[in-house]
Amino acid sequence: MEHTAPPAWVMLAYLISGVFFILALRGLSSPATSQRGNRFGMAGMLIAVVTTLVTHEVASLPEILGAIAIGGGIGWVTARRIAMTDMPQLVAAFHSLVGLAAVLVAAAAFLNPAAFGIVGADGLINPVSRIEMGLGIAIGAITFSGSVIAFLKLAGKMSGAPILLPLRHVINLGTLAAILGLIGYFTVDQSPWIFWTVTALAFLIGFLLIIPIGGADMPVVVSMLNSYSGWAAAAMGFTLHNTAMIITGALVGSSGAILSYIMCKAMNRSFISVIAGGFGAEAAVSGGEAKEQRPWKRGSAEDAAYMMQQAESVIIVPGYGMAVAQAQHALREMADVLKKQGVSVKYAIHPVAGRMPGHMNVLLAEASVPYDEVFELEDINSEFAQADVAFIIGANDVVNPAAKTDKTSPIYGMPVFDVDKAKTVFFVKRSMGGVGYAGVDNDVFYMDQTMMLLADAKKMCEDIVKALQH
């Protein structure tokens, strides 16, 4: 059974949906236009789905509508109930579903190739379709199992520390080589054992690739898995002869790959070094406790309120600790009070702050922080030298000067904020024991101009607001 070309109007509809997806990506590049970008994406997907349902007899209409209602209902309830602080694990969970969908489509195509129009004159699956199918199921399975591990780490159901297996690089390379070799052999022999072995090995390698990666690299992992899910969808688009899936998958795959590259560049790491184990792996194994007992100064909410009231400029550096404490609303309230008292307030966002790309931007946007007060590292780093106060809330590795001075540090070379140049530094963290996901002590804790505000981030901000108002 050979596949026939779709009508011209179908190709046009898929092209229009593709344009909407491109506009969606463009809109999502900025918090100010993200809502519009989401609407473009929804419109593009609606066009693609309706076109596919009209042109394919995949099932009865009641079955299709029932499936859409169930899936849409689950998505609606989940989106309404999920807290913004839990968004990273939600994204990882959704990536796993995309990967699983690719696996199921590939399995269906293998078990019933005639229904997909991929059978040649000899009654066997076309060799090209076998390659598409093999790549689709491999990438999909890697995305699924890798995303499950990422979800467990992000949700705190599994240790965020790297799990380093003996000879892990040899095992990973051997497994990847076996997968590629079997996909190549699958083109000349479509025996079921080959197909299912590729599937099993792909599930295994997804697990093995993610467990050695520590919490500090999680933003890159989420971006990387997003890219994988796109390529899996694109591969299945070829199997299904669906232009919309090919376009959508290629857009997601390429944009995710570009974002992963940008974030690796921001960390001064190669993409290979991240997926091979993540920075800070060895340090994190050592326990993640402060190595030295040096003198440090403890401050209070009243100290912070007084100093920031006297300041002309305050730069706030949020991190994952802010997300865990859900302190973004209290932080914005603190900033609002300071602005009413004539203080200039800005937010400095590091590319890898949080647990997914743009994590801090999302939380600040949820708290209605104005977009024009939020700045990326390269745009604001030079201003710390003139700032009266650097207010660090829940961040650690992204403000650690060891990245600039200590060549033996696992974070050496990663661009960090120059908070040590500010006149006064307030560092909000729960205790002096923890040293961040990279497992490196921070010299900023012990600087003469630093006051440690040891408390829950949300409560500390609330106490500072009370002190500012009185």
Side-chain angles (χ1 to χ4, degrees), residues 323-346:
V324 172
Q326 299 188 37
Q328 62 270 24
H329 294 280
L331 180 67
R332 192 225 55 211
E333 185 180 359
M334 183 192 83
D336 288 345
V337 175
L338 287 171
K339 287 188 292 182
K340 288 179 181 178
Q341 298 181 4
V343 181
S344 169
V345 178
K346 296 181 179 179

Side-chain angles (χ1 to χ4, degrees), residues 37 50 57 63 69 84 119 133 137-138 183 240 313 330 332 377 382 414 463:
V50 171
E57 296 180 3
E63 290 175 326
M84 294 302 293
V119 177
M133 191 184 303
I137 202 164
I183 291 175
L240 296 174
S313 63
R332 192 225 55 211
L377 182 145
S382 61
M414 184 180 81
D463 289 345

Side-chain angles (χ1 to χ4, degrees), residues 12-361:
L12 179 61
Y14 284 152
L15 178 61
I16 293 173
S17 70
V19 171
F20 276 133
F21 293 141
I22 294 172
L23 293 174
L25 285 176
R26 182 178 180 180
L28 292 173
S29 64
S30 169
T33 58
S34 59
Q35 288 187 343
R36 184 173 62 195
N38 272 316
R39 293 189 187 102
F40 276 125
M42 293 164 63
M45 186 57 67
L46 179 62
I47 293 172
V49 169
V50 171
T51 303
T52 302
L53 293 180
V54 170
T55 57
H56 292 74
E57 296 180 3
V58 290
S60 67
L61 187 60
E63 290 175 326
I64 292 295
L65 293 178
I68 292 175
I70 293 172
I74 293 172
W76 176 269
V77 172
T78 302
R80 296 286 293 181
R81 292 185 176 179
I82 197 74
M84 294 302 293
T85 48
D86 294 334
M87 194 58 66
Q89 49 262 47
L90 177 66
V91 171
F94 282 172
H95 287 164
S96 72
L97 295 179
V98 176
L100 183 60
V103 171
L104 294 176
V105 170
F110 177 73
L111 295 172
N112 188 11
F116 290 79
I118 56 176
V119 177
D122 56 0
L124 300 175
I125 300 174
N126 297 322
V128 174
S129 296
R130 295 186 210 176
I131 296 176
E132 297 164 357
M133 191 184 303
L135 291 175
I137 202 164
I139 301 172
I142 291 172
T143 303
F144 173 76
S145 55
S147 297
V148 168
I149 299 300
F151 169 81
L152 294 174
K153 288 194 172 193
L154 290 166
K157 301 181 184 299
M158 180 179 181
S159 172
I163 301 173
L164 306 179
L165 300 177
L167 301 174
R168 66 186 187 279
H169 298 308
V170 174
I171 295 172
N172 291 348
L173 287 173
T175 306
L176 286 172
I179 290 172
L180 294 175
L182 285 171
I183 291 175
Y185 185 50
F186 189 53
T187 61
V188 296
D189 184 352
Q190 66 175 57
S191 299
W193 74 266
I194 301 175
F195 181 83
W196 298 117
T197 301
V198 169
T199 306
L201 290 176
F203 278 125
L204 175 64
I205 194 63
F207 172 80
L208 294 175
L209 284 174
I210 305 302
I211 58 170
I213 299 179
D217 284 334
M218 270 302 149
V220 180
V221 171
V222 172
S223 176
M224 178 181 68
L225 291 170
N226 177 55
S227 179
Y228 289 174
S229 68
W231 296 125
M236 287 301 94
F238 282 105
T239 299
L240 296 174
H241 307 290
N242 190 294
T243 307
M245 280 189 69
I246 297 171
I247 294 174
T248 307
L251 286 172
V252 173
S254 57
S255 60
I258 293 170
L259 180 58
S260 300
Y261 170 77
I262 292 172
M263 299 191 74
C264 286
K265 188 177 180 182
M267 295 160 54
N268 198 30
R269 294 295 185 276
S270 70
F271 184 73
I272 298 299
S273 72
V274 173
I275 64 174
F279 81 81
E282 287 72 23
V285 174
S286 63
E289 297 296 322
K291 307 297 186 301
E292 301 182 47
Q293 295 297 325
R294 291 189 275 170
W296 51 277
K297 291 185 291 186
R298 181 164 189 165
S300 66
E302 290 73 20
D303 295 328
Y306 176 77
M307 294 296 293
M308 287 194 286
Q309 276 181 320
Q310 307 305 313
E312 292 184 5
S313 63
V314 174
I315 300 179
I316 299 171
V317 183
Y320 187 60
M322 183 195 75
V324 172
Q326 299 188 37
Q328 62 270 24
H329 294 280
L331 180 67
R332 192 225 55 211
E333 185 180 359
M334 183 192 83
D336 288 345
V337 175
L338 287 171
K339 287 188 292 182
K340 288 179 181 178
Q341 298 181 4
V343 181
S344 169
V345 178
K346 296 181 179 179
Y347 298 81
I349 308 298
H350 195 279
V352 295
R355 292 296 171 267
M356 73 174 186
H359 194 183
M360 295 300 104
N361 302 76

